[in-house]
Amino acid sequence: MRVTTLVLAIVLGGCTGGAVKPPPAQGATPIVEAADLAWRQALPVFQPEALQRDVDVLEATYGALHPGLHRYLDEAALAAEYARLREAFRSPRRLDQAYLAFSAFASQVRCGHTYANFFNQGEVVTRALLQRPRLPLHFRWIDGEMVVTADLGSGASLPAGTRVLALGGVPTSRILADLLPYARADGHNQAKRIAYLQRSGLDRYEAFDVFYPLLFAAAAREDLDASVVLPGASAPSEVRLRMQPFAAPAAKPEAAADPAVALGWRMTRPRPGVSLLRMPSWTAYDFPDWNWRAHVDGLFVQLVRDGTTDLVIDLRGNEGGDSVGEALAAHLVDADIVPAKATRSVRYRRVPDALRPHLSTWDKSFYDWGDAATAPRDGFYRLTRYDDDADGMRIRPALPRFAGRVWVLVGSDNSSATFEFAELVQARKLGTLVGEPTGGNLRGINGGAFLFMTLPGTGIELDVPLIAQFPATPQPDAGIVPDIAAPESAASIAQGRDVALDAVLARIASSRGQ
């Protein structure tokens, strides 16, 4: 999914990688097949001088601007990562190899908003690396296994709940292990990294689609052998999957189309008195002319009018986007609230002129915070630009107020704006979190505003988050644990059960004596 912001909407982007993998990743497969070699040989090759210059730009830019560079890496560890990257570039490297090297470096920063953004790459990188053939399955990683959630026309008709043990002769457990060094997440939140490598079909570019072809030669075949265990079976079966060519997305919906439908926002009533609001995306900035806040207000008018007693907000699969969570929370409170105080910090007041040629953004004010960056201390400035008052972002009540019970379905994808909403709901007891541990990190995340750094030699783009949030008190290096655990399994997927929603409906029925 797309990376989302803490406060602002973000212009998104993406990237690609290579066949010779730099440390710390392990080799994916020693086999080089003709079809795999053919497409790689057509890629641009960069000389060490250009590659080292790119590292110079990366190091200078992140060193001056990235506020979370040392949240998990001390000076020595960061220097070692730069040295590893430079070592990988002492010989000529193809575009795919360079992309993998930069992606591996970015993952070591342990920031969920620091990566070679799939949606921000230039045309050369996009066409060369992001539009490779794709596995014809949607799937989840559960307990280290690839579990099918939908067959997209593989030719093998695999039902949901099928466990895929191997692809192209490589155990899927090894595939996951080799992909993880390239996955982004905040801190040591491994659940987020694993969720990031699933295929859900919720976005045009997904990490598995990008990194699997870059690491495994078998992905270049038209047909891919797979070992699978069908639901209810005790032994594996051998099948052949027909790989899917990349398909360009349909034209962007016209402004007249319903943005709520495009974002997947849908309200249903699974039980009398229970309303289920599904919100798989908060990227409302894709529709700049749409008043999404008014739409949220209208949803609560409908809830109150319909006599809803229990509201279930389904955020699974949703990384974030706009500050929709604040608009939702405003209808759940009867007095002003201030989210848990966190210091909002930046590393600079004004971007150095020497870095400007490699940077772009949608808001030129990010180049110069001016008086909004105050009280320099220990290499940081306190950022006051987005503060409504001295305490931070205040949420004020909005009408109509929903006075019923609130249940929020969460999972490991929730790592930006949805992570912040889940944190607020749990801390302020606005509702009950149900599902699986979230992404993000209680130690704080980076984002809020972005510059887009295009490296001059390779043309690869990496996002530069500009604002860091630091909690007022020490916090664990982890996401948020839900109040009610409701993990999915291969069996529940095969049975078509929604474990989290079932858990909520059971609690509601029990409270009503049903």
Side-chain angles (χ1 to χ4, degrees):
M1 290 192 61
R2 305 185 185 194
V3 172
T4 54
T5 68
L6 308 182
V7 178
L8 304 177
I10 155 183
V11 179
L12 300 170
C15 196
T16 47
V20 176
K21 300 168 293 304
Q26 301 175 356
T29 173
I31 301 172
V32 178
E33 300 177 355
D36 181 65
L37 187 61
W39 77 269
R40 295 183 196 274
Q41 286 180 329
L43 297 176
V45 176
F46 303 99
Q47 297 305 309
E49 294 79 6
L51 296 166
Q52 298 292 340
R53 185 169 64 251
D54 278 2
V55 180
D56 291 340
V57 171
L58 173 72
E59 186 170 1
T61 303
Y62 276 179
L65 308 179
H66 197 303
L69 205 58
H70 295 295
R71 199 191 293 267
Y72 299 98
L73 293 175
D74 59 22
E75 289 285 357
L78 180 62
E81 293 301 331
Y82 281 125
R84 185 176 288 115
L85 186 59
R86 290 187 184 280
E87 181 63 29
F89 289 157
R90 293 196 183 279
S91 301
R93 290 289 181 261
R94 294 189 310 267
L95 177 61
D96 60 325
Q97 296 168 324
Y99 182 77
L100 277 180
F102 284 119
S103 296
F105 169 84
S107 74
Q108 293 303 305
V109 178
R110 299 191 180 279
C111 165
H113 290 92
T114 299
Y115 80 122
N117 197 326
F118 308 145
F119 299 86
N120 283 341
Q121 298 308 314
E123 183 176 355
V124 171
V125 175
T126 297
R127 288 184 177 276
L129 301 180
L130 303 185
Q131 300 181 354
R132 304 298 308 155
R134 300 185 171 185
L135 190 69
L137 306 171
H138 288 162
F139 63 85
R140 287 200 61 186
W141 295 105
I142 298 177
D143 296 329
E145 291 189 326
M146 179 184 286
V147 179
V148 175
T149 57
D151 187 316
L152 308 177
S154 70
S157 300
L158 300 181
T162 297
R163 296 156 48 217
V164 182
L165 305 184
L167 290 172
V170 180
T172 51
S173 58
R174 178 184 167 186
I175 292 173
L176 176 60
D178 285 351
L179 293 176
L180 280 171
Y182 303 95
R184 57 177 174 82
D186 292 289
H188 294 78
N189 193 331
Q190 197 75 341
K192 167 61 183 179
R193 285 186 170 82
I194 292 171
Y196 178 62
L197 295 169
Q198 298 172 161
R199 288 206 72 211
S200 64
L202 294 177
D203 234 325
R204 180 183 182 186
Y205 300 119
E206 295 185 284
F208 184 89
D209 295 331
V210 173
F211 292 115
Y212 178 61
L214 298 180
L215 294 174
F216 291 91
R221 305 174 192 168
E222 292 184 2
D223 297 305
L224 187 61
D225 292 332
S227 178
V228 304
V229 178
L230 300 174
S234 58
S237 304
E238 303 304 314
V239 299
R240 180 160 291 181
L241 308 179
R242 184 168 51 245
M243 294 291 283
Q244 289 186 325
F246 174 83
K252 192 170 182 178
E254 297 295 331
D258 187 346
V261 173
L263 291 173
W265 294 9
R266 184 164 59 97
M267 187 110 77
T268 59
R269 289 179 65 86
R271 298 286 188 278
V274 180
S275 291
L276 172 62
L277 174 59
R278 297 191 185 275
M279 304 184 92
S281 173
W282 283 354
T283 57
Y285 47 72
D286 284 341
F287 305 92
D289 298 326
W290 181 45
N291 188 342
W292 60 264
R293 293 181 183 275
H295 184 87
V296 170
D297 292 341
L299 292 174
F300 280 92
V301 170
Q302 179 181 341
L303 289 169
V304 173
R305 183 182 62 234
D306 292 345
T308 296
T309 59
D310 289 88
L311 169 61
V312 185
I313 304 174
D314 187 355
L315 299 181
R316 293 170 297 178
N318 184 343
E319 283 196 319
D322 282 291
S323 52
V324 178
E326 295 176 12
L328 294 171
H331 288 277
L332 307 178
V333 300
D334 56 9
D336 289 8
I337 62 171
V338 177
K341 186 174 182 180
T343 303
R344 194 175 284 115
S345 302
V346 295
R347 285 294 305 276
Y348 68 99
R349 178 170 284 163
R350 182 177 181 276
V351 173
D353 290 341
L355 302 179
R356 289 285 295 269
H358 311 296
L359 300 172
S360 62
T361 187
W362 74 95
D363 187 336
K364 292 185 177 180
S365 69
F366 297 163
Y367 291 119
D368 190 343
W369 295 114
D371 293 340
T374 66
R377 182 180 179 184
D378 298 330
F380 287 92
Y381 292 87
R382 162 92 160 85
L383 186 67
T384 62
R385 171 171 170 172
Y386 303 112
D387 288 356
D388 287 341
D389 51 49
D391 293 320
M393 298 297 292
R394 182 175 297 275
I395 297 176
R396 296 181 170 85
L399 296 176
R401 177 173 181 259
F402 178 73
R405 291 180 296 190
V406 177
W407 313 79
V408 183
L409 308 186
V410 296
S412 299
D413 289 301
N414 305 141
S415 54
S416 187
T418 48
F419 165 81
E420 292 187 319
F421 178 66
E423 186 177 24
L424 177 67
V425 167
Q426 190 174 70
R428 295 291 177 151
K429 301 188 184 305
L430 302 181
T432 302
L433 302 185
V434 183
E436 302 178 28
T438 71
N441 204 288
L442 291 167
R443 287 189 180 178
I445 54 181
N446 316 301
F450 289 80
L451 292 173
F452 309 125
M453 171 180 58
T454 300
L455 300 176
T458 58
I460 293 170
E461 185 276 341
L462 289 96
D463 286 1
V464 187
L466 304 178
I467 303 172
Q469 291 188 349
F470 294 99
T473 59
Q475 297 294 325
D477 179 2
I480 300 166
V481 177
D483 303 300
I484 301 173
E488 285 190 331
S489 66
S492 67
I493 292 174
Q495 295 162 7
R497 293 192 296 113
D498 187 328
V499 178
L501 180 58
D502 287 350
V504 171
L505 296 178
R507 291 290 183 106
I508 293 172
S510 177
S511 69
R512 296 175 177 177
Q514 298 175 342

